[in-house]
Structures are given as C-alpha cells and as structure tokens.
Amino acid sequence: KAGVTQTPRYLIKTRGQQVTLSCSPISGHRSVSWYQQTPGQGLQFLFEYFSETQRNKGNFPGRFSGRQFSNSRSEMNVSTLELGDSALYLCASSQMRAWGETQYFGPGTRLLVL
Amino acid sequence: DQQVKQNSPSLSVQEGRISILNCDYTNSMFDYFLWYKKYPAEGPTFLISISSIKDKNEDGRFTVFLNKSAKHLSLHIVPSQPGDSAVYFCAARPRSGGGADGLTFGKGTHLIIQP
C-alpha cells in the first residue's frame, strides 16, 4: 500500500495570504488528522476528520480550517497567514488495531511565511 | 502545561548497547501510548504502541514498558544500531468515547548512536 502523501512538499507565502495543503491517506483509512510542528512548540494537534466530518479540534485559531472529501482525501486551509505560521504541517491517517488507533504520518508540507 | 514530557533532549549510546528513552505523562485519562521515530525532513514513523491494559509490548528490537502508577513509559532498543540515530517522540491519547482525540506529543529525544 502507498503511504500517506502530502502536496506540496514546500511552500513559500507572504503575510496576509492564504494557503491550502492537501493530504491523501493510506487506502482504506477513513480518518485523517493534521498536526503542526515548530521548533518551539513541537508537534501540536490541529484537527481530525472522519467520514467528511470534523471529529475533534485542537487549540488553534479559526484561521486554520480543513475539510475531507468522500474519497477521504483532506485539505487544510490557513487564511491571513502570519509569520508564526511557518512550520512543518503533517497529515496522518489512522488504522484501527486491537487496542486502538495507530496514526501513520506523511512527509509533511514545509510552509515558510515571509 | 506539558502533558507528555520527554526530559532528555538528547541521548548518546554506543552501538550494540541498549538505548532507553523515557517519557512521563500527567493526564490520567491517557489510555494509549505510541512511540515515533523521526528523521529530518520526514514525517514521524510509527514504531510501537501500548495500551493501558498492558505493561509491556515487544516488537523485534523495540520494547515499550508502561508504569501506570508512576505515569511513566520507556522505550528500549536492543541492540542499538547506527540507523537508530533519530529523534524519538512519545505520544499519548485518551480512550476514545464516540469521538477520537488527537495525539499529544512530547518534545522529543535526539538519540545518537556512536560507533
């Protein structure tokens, strides 16, 4: 099976712009989660989608939003970009195991806001 | 407040010896624990997990131990190999109750395997 794929891998934007990142989960996985990784804060949970519905949301402002399509592919949007949004954005899809879910991560999209 | 703590930012171990990575947590609702390995410019790679109903889980060279009373878990790598040099993240999540919660990650420990 192909792993989680994310596009684009690298992105440069300026303050005030908006950006859309894309994630394709592992085939058969219906849950997609998004995380932000920065040197100072580490890996932080943004939100999770399951069957096109947002199931849980982390502590991020409303500028961060997402959606999931019927084929489980997901997009994340950040509007009115700020310098502090520069980070590695990771997408993960989930597989149920006997004792819970395990998340498999994509390579990430590195966003630089100038 | 950090709910998952990895107090050692880095750890250096000689090739062939045992690497022990530690993780402490504060949230008693955490029920499921995972270890990830991350190389620069790549996403985290799942290594091994354990649920709170167990105190040990083993997969090849990797063993995770969970001490619920101490809210502590550790990852043992035996024997350590040069390819194990990476940043290791501990993560935890509560028991799912109809919905799922995102993983809470520690800040990571940089493991360096010396020849």
Side-chain angles (χ1 to χ4, degrees):
Chain A
K1 278 187 180 177
V4 178
T5 58
Q6 292 186 245
T7 56
R9 293 292 311 276
Y10 303 92
L11 204 49
I12 300 175
K13 291 284 188 179
T14 56
R15 279 182 300 174
Q17 287 187 307
Q18 76 164 19
V19 66
T20 299
L21 313 181
S22 181
C23 171
S24 292
I26 293 171
S27 177
H29 289 192
R30 294 167 63 190
S31 169
V32 173
S33 299
W34 289 89
Y35 292 83
Q36 181 196 63
Q37 184 179 24
T38 58
Q41 299 298 319
L43 271 157
Q44 292 186 290
F45 173 68
L46 280 156
F47 30 65
E48 179 184 11
Y49 285 86
F50 181 84
S51 294
E52 302 178 63
T53 301
Q54 188 180 87
R55 197 156 67 160
N56 201 21
K57 192 176 191 302
N59 189 24
F60 277 80
R63 299 185 297 107
F64 292 81
S65 63
R67 59 177 176 168
Q68 186 180 33
F69 302 94
S70 58
N71 62 358
S72 294
R73 190 177 70 84
S74 177
E75 286 182 349
M76 190 193 96
N77 185 76
V78 187
S79 62
T80 319
L81 284 166
E82 299 177 0
L83 295 179
D85 297 334
S86 295
L88 179 67
Y89 290 88
L90 292 158
C91 165
S93 71
S94 297
Q95 179 185 44
M96 285 301 298
R97 291 179 174 243
W99 49 82
E101 290 184 77
T102 298
Q103 294 191 359
Y104 296 91
F105 285 82
T109 294
R110 186 162 294 281
L111 171 65
L112 177 62
V113 182
L114 301 175
Chain B
D1 179 37
Q2 262 190 283
Q3 296 188 61
V4 177
K5 298 178 186 178
Q6 293 177 257
N7 291 320
S8 299
S10 66
L11 175 67
S12 184
V13 175
Q14 200 167 12
E15 182 180 356
R17 307 293 288 267
I18 181 171
S19 294
I20 300 176
L21 297 142
N22 294 303
C23 178
D24 296 295
Y25 62 96
T26 58
N27 189 340
S28 58
M29 298 300 291
F30 285 147
D31 191 55
Y32 186 51
F33 304 88
L34 306 92
W35 283 95
Y36 286 86
K37 173 181 176 181
K38 188 177 185 301
Y39 294 116
E42 293 184 10
T45 300
F46 170 74
L47 283 174
I48 192 168
S49 62
I50 189 168
S51 80
S52 61
I53 63 173
K54 300 179 74 173
D55 54 20
K56 177 183 174 182
N57 190 25
E58 199 170 348
D59 185 0
R61 296 186 300 115
F62 302 95
T63 303
V64 56
F65 296 91
L66 175 63
N67 182 335
K68 282 175 290 185
S69 60
K71 293 191 175 68
H72 176 83
L73 66 154
S74 60
L75 174 68
H76 292 208
I77 306 173
V78 184
S80 300
Q81 298 174 354
D84 295 331
S85 295
V87 179
Y88 288 78
F89 290 95
C90 167
R93 72 186 300 162
R95 181 186 302 273
S96 294
D101 295 282
L103 291 170
T104 299
F105 281 85
K107 293 288 180 77
T109 296
H110 185 192
L111 176 64
I112 301 160
I113 305 302
Q114 294 182 332

